[in-house]
């Protein structure tokens, strides 16, 4: 949630990310607004689309150092409550 996002901004070294193609579903139905990240390799896509990608490449978080972020969050919250 929000705590993880704040920790990622304060300490981006706790995240493992990778540039991947991302799109948002605009089709009607229950999936509307869903973020779609396809991690499958797409050999030949560049040639099909004249070197252009259909989806933007975005840094996608794949893993998080949970202990690091829990420690950061608790130290920050506890330090703020003592003031």
């Amino acid at each position: 949630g929000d705590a993880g996002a704040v920790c990622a901004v304060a300490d981006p070294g706790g995240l493992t990310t990778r540039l991947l193609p991302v799109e948002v579903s605009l089709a009607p139905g229950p999936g509307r607004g869903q973020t779609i990240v396809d991690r499958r390799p797409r050999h030949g896509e560049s040639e099909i689309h004249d070197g252009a990608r259909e989806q933007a490449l975005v840094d996608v978080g794949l893993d998080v150092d949970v202990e690091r972020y829990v420690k950061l969050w608790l130290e920050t919250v506890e330090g703020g409550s003592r003031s």
Side-chain angles (χ1 to χ4, degrees), residues 16-17 39 54 62 77 80 83:
T16 301
T17 64
R39 294 173 57 181
E54 290 181 27
L62 300 176
V77 171
S83 305

Side-chain angles (χ1 to χ4, degrees), residues 47-60:
E47 293 79 13
I48 293 170
H49 300 290
D50 296 323
R53 286 192 154 278
E54 290 181 27
Q55 298 86 16
L57 290 178
V58 177
D59 270 323
V60 176

Side-chain angles (χ1 to χ4, degrees), residues 25-49:
S25 174
L26 301 177
R32 184 172 177 83
Q34 180 180 27
T35 304
I36 302 167
V37 179
D38 190 351
R39 294 173 57 181
R40 295 175 294 182
R42 296 180 171 191
H43 303 291
E45 282 291 301
S46 182
E47 293 79 13
I48 293 170
H49 300 290

